[in-house]
Structure formats: structure tokens, C-alpha cells
């Protein structure tokens, strides 16, 4: 700075700082807008789930899903289309499922994978009667997300029903998830046990459950003796 006036270099530096700050503000505004969209989509999807549990029909949205959205929005919109498709006319239903399929493939195409997107793909393939594609997506969902609280009931049932055709890793994780889920949500216990009894997974499921219960008993005994759990 010369005689109280900034030099050209100082002015350029100040301009760069202002540009960076302005860009940061724009990015922040975009991020906030996207988070709001995600929150709205999650609220809408939850309302559709409540409607279905009350056996009420959904209003189909036949619009194609825009693929230039954040992955989370793609997943949420695709899940809505999957729930709505059975209530649409046949031609619209096929278009909705195609759109959901495209969105889910984009959502799942990440270097680290997306267990929720893969499970939604499994659900889509099951609805279309493509058992091989359903099993492949189901196995991938277990690879990327071994535990999914809000989808465990359907996923475990499918894994047990297709037990012989799943890779060993998916079998192991389905048993782990089943045990975790029946301990977490007692109201689903009868349904999970029924699915296990009808499956070749039953023996492995019972043995694993017995091991977990034995550890529970050991822990209770340990605490009852006045010890603290490690």
C-alpha cells in the first residue's frame, strides 16, 4: 500500500478473497436448498408409507424423475414411484417403474455403493418378477448396508425365501440382521420366525440365535456377580 492506497497486487488479492467468499455463499445457499428438498421428500415418503399401512390408495406421480439431482433425492423419489406404481394405469405404471429404475441405477453408481438404493432395486425387480436380478441387488444391498432398520423385515424374508441362490456373505448377513431385528422389534418376531422355518436358513438362524442368547445369559450372570461389563 502506497500513501494509504492499495497496490494493484493488494487489490487483486482482495478481489480474489471477495470472489471466494461470494462463491462460498452461493454454495451454502444451494446446499441449504437441497437439504430442504431432501427433508420435504422424506416427509412425503413417510406420509405415503403411513397411507399404505392404513390400506389407503396413493396418488401416482407419472412425471419422469430428473436424474440431475443429489443421490438422496433420486433415491427418495424412486421409492415414492415404487410405492405409487401399483395404483397407476398399466402404461403409466410401466413408465414409472422405468423411471425409478434409471434413478436407482444412478443413485447406486458410487465407488462405495449404496445399500438402500440396491435394496430398492431388489424391490423393483421383485415386483417385475425378475428373481435373478432381485437376488443380485439383494446381495449387493447386504454388502453395502448389513443392517437397515426400516427395510429389514422385507429384506430378511426375501433372503430366507431365496436362501439357496444367495452368496454365503449375504446369507450370513441376513441371519445377523434377522436376529438383530427380532431383538429390536418384537412385533416382527413371529413373521421372521415363520419365514425362517420355511427356509433352509432355519438351522443356521436358530444356532446363531442360541449363541446370542447364551452371551446374553453370560452377561447377566457376570453383572449379577457384581462385575462390570468390559
Amino acid at each position: 500500500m502506497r500513501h494509504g492506497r492499495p497496490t494493484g497486487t493488494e487489490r487483486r488479492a482482495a478481489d480474489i478473497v471477495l470472489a471466494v467468499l461470494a462463491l462460498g455463499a452461493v454454495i451454502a445457499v444451494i446446499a441449504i436448498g437441497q437439504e430442504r428438498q431432501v427433508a420435504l421428500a422424506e416427509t412425503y415418503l413417510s406420509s405415503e408409507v403411513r397411507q399404505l399401512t392404513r390400506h389407503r390408495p396413493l396418488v401416482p406421480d407419472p412425471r419422469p424423475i430428473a436424474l440431475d439431482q443429489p443421490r438422496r433425492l433420486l433415491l427418495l423419489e424412486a421409492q415414492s414411484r415404487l410405492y405409487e406404481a401399483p395404483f397407476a394405469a398399466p402404461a403409466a405404471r410401466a413408465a414409472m417403474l422405468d423411471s425409478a429404475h434409471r434413478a436407482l441405477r444412478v443413485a447406486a453408481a458410487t465407488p462405495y455403493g449404496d445399500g438402500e438404493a440396491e435394496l430398492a432395486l431388489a424391490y423393483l425387480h421383485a415386483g417385475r418378477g425378475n428373481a435373478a436380478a432381485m437376488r443380485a441387488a439383494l446381495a449387493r444391498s447386504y454388502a453395502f448396508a448389513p443392517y437397515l432398520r426400516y427395510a429389514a423385515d422385507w429384506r430378511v424374508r426375501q433372503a430366507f425365501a431365496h436362501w439357496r441362490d444367495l452368496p454365503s456373505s449375504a446369507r450370513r448377513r441376513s441371519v445377523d440382521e434377522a436376529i438383530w431385528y427380532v431383538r429390536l422389534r418384537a412385533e416382527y418376531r413371529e413373521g421372521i420366525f415363520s419365514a425362517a422355518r420355511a427356509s433352509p436358513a432355519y438351522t443356521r438362524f436358530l444356532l446363531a440365535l442360541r449363541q446370542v442368547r447364551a452371551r446374553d445369559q453370560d452377561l447377566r450372570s457376570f453383572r449379577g456377580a457384581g462385575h462390570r461389563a468390559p
Side-chain angles (χ1 to χ4, degrees):
M1 180 175 291
R2 298 175 182 175
H3 306 294
R5 296 180 179 179
T7 64
T9 300
E10 289 171 334
R11 284 196 297 271
R12 285 193 295 272
D15 289 342
I16 291 172
V17 170
L18 290 174
V20 170
L21 291 174
L23 178 60
V26 171
I27 292 174
V29 169
I30 292 173
I32 291 171
Q34 290 179 346
E35 287 301 316
R36 184 173 182 276
Q37 286 181 295
V38 168
L40 290 173
E42 287 177 339
T43 300
Y44 186 74
L45 184 63
S46 296
S47 70
E48 289 192 318
V49 172
R50 287 194 297 271
Q51 290 287 92
L52 290 174
T53 57
R54 295 167 183 168
H55 305 289
R56 295 176 180 174
L58 301 181
V59 178
D61 183 352
R63 295 174 298 174
I65 299 172
L67 300 181
D68 57 344
Q69 303 183 81
R71 289 177 49 256
R72 185 64 183 168
L73 274 175
L74 286 175
L75 175 60
L76 292 169
E77 288 200 23
Q79 288 174 317
S80 284
R81 297 300 194 280
L82 293 180
Y83 290 149
E84 295 163 2
F87 302 95
R93 183 185 311 137
M96 291 172 68
L97 292 177
D98 287 341
S99 180
H101 192 188
R102 289 190 294 270
L104 290 171
R105 289 182 63 182
V106 173
T110 67
Y112 44 86
D114 189 310
E116 285 186 278
E118 295 291 358
L119 186 60
L121 281 169
Y123 185 85
L124 184 151
H125 292 311
R128 286 182 157 177
N130 190 338
M134 187 280 292
R135 290 192 294 266
L138 191 74
R140 292 193 300 269
S141 78
Y142 272 118
F144 298 131
Y147 301 95
L148 286 174
R149 178 175 181 177
Y150 298 107
D153 182 55
W154 187 85
R155 182 162 69 163
V156 166
R157 289 171 182 269
Q158 293 300 314
F160 285 178
H162 296 266
W163 181 262
R164 297 188 190 277
D165 298 308
L166 291 177
S168 58
S169 59
R171 294 183 189 182
R172 182 180 66 253
R173 286 171 174 164
S174 69
V175 168
D176 290 343
E177 184 178 45
I179 293 172
W180 165 77
Y181 198 60
V182 297
R183 288 158 62 85
L184 182 71
R185 302 287 299 273
E187 65 270 29
Y188 289 96
R189 176 186 174 87
E190 183 177 347
I192 296 294
F193 268 81
S194 177
R197 280 191 292 269
S199 165
Y202 191 47
T203 300
R204 184 179 295 189
F205 172 71
L206 286 183
L207 288 174
L209 183 61
R210 183 177 298 176
Q211 290 175 348
V212 170
R213 286 176 172 171
R215 287 197 296 270
D216 288 346
Q217 183 59 46
D218 289 344
L219 183 58
R220 284 193 292 269
S221 299
F222 188 76
R223 287 173 173 170
H227 300 289
R228 290 185 177 181

